[in-house]
Amino acid sequence: MLLLVLLWYEIVESKQINKDEVQLYVVQKYAGQGYEQSPPLPYKIFKSENGWKVLVEPLEINTLTGEVTKGTPIHALQYTDQ
């Protein structure tokens, strides 16, 4: 198991999609066992009736290649004893 401590994050890119939506790319910096920072991670910011919201989706990060793909929500994971 890889234990990481998030030190800080940096918004490295932002794109205005429309007047109610923004796409951000965030790099997270870590103190940990050989993994110093994430690749740019996508976050969608959108305007709702109650103000601005951040949509946080599950992501899988391949720490060897830096590839970021959509992940599986933790409530949908299936565990086995094997």
Side-chain angles (χ1 to χ4, degrees):
M1 176 180 220
L2 184 63
L3 177 62
L4 300 172
V5 176
L6 179 62
L7 296 176
W8 56 278
Y9 61 90
E10 178 182 359
I11 297 171
V12 294
E13 185 179 348
S14 66
K15 294 180 185 177
Q16 182 86 32
I17 306 301
N18 58 48
K19 69 180 184 73
D20 296 327
E21 189 175 335
V22 176
Q23 179 81 42
L24 296 181
Y25 290 89
V26 176
V27 171
Q28 298 174 341
K29 305 281 185 170
Y30 297 98
Q33 303 165 346
Y35 187 67
E36 295 179 5
Q37 76 177 38
S38 71
L41 304 175
Y43 289 91
K44 181 193 266 185
I45 314 299
F46 62 96
K47 192 174 188 179
S48 73
E49 295 174 0
N50 300 325
W52 289 90
K53 308 279 183 179
V54 178
L55 178 62
V56 179
E57 297 184 287
L59 300 172
E60 291 185 17
I61 303 168
N62 183 323
T63 57
L64 298 176
T65 65
E67 179 184 15
V68 178
T69 56
K70 285 199 172 207
T72 303
I74 198 159
H75 70 279
L77 292 176
Q78 296 181 3
Y79 299 95
T80 62
D81 293 334
Q82 299 177 6

